[in-house]
Every structure is written in C-alpha cells, then in structure tokens.
Amino acid sequence: MGAGTARRPTRSGGVIRRRFAAGLRNFHTHYKQAVDEWTLYDNSGPSLVIIEKGAGMQP
C-alpha cells in the first residue's frame, strides 16, 4: 500500500443491513423526540428525496 492509502474493512451485507436497521430504529425511537425539527431523506438516488418531516415531542 502506498503512503496515505487507508485500508477499509469490508462488511458483509448482513452487517450493513443490521446496522442500518438499528440506526433507523434509534432515529424513530430516540432522536426524533429529542430535537425541535427533523427530516428523513432517501439519498439512494442521484438527488435527495424527503421521505418524512416533523417536529420533536419535547415538553
């Protein structure tokens, strides 16, 4: 490997899907309620698509 080249560990599809699911679950169960406003985007295509928007549930 040359100087400045970082090695990236490979992740199996199952690990990626598990981490994505956990992050999405945490977003819906913890983070949405902890902020004033939030927006959920789909960034899988060439441009961002808003999936859902809302406001937090803080008292």
Side-chain angles (χ1 to χ4, degrees):
M1 244 190 305
T5 304
R7 242 182 137 137
R8 290 184 149 189
T10 57
R11 303 277 183 244
S12 72
V15 171
I16 293 169
R17 285 187 287 279
R18 180 179 52 78
R19 289 182 179 181
F20 178 83
L24 192 57
R25 186 173 49 252
N26 285 336
F27 173 73
H28 286 296
T29 59
H30 299 291
Y31 301 123
K32 281 175 29 174
Q33 293 80 16
V35 297
D36 294 331
E37 295 178 347
W38 54 267
T39 306
L40 181 63
Y41 293 93
D42 176 355
N43 67 344
S44 63
S47 59
L48 293 175
V49 176
I50 296 174
I51 296 175
E52 194 178 355
K53 292 176 95 166
M57 309 281 275
Q58 292 182 334

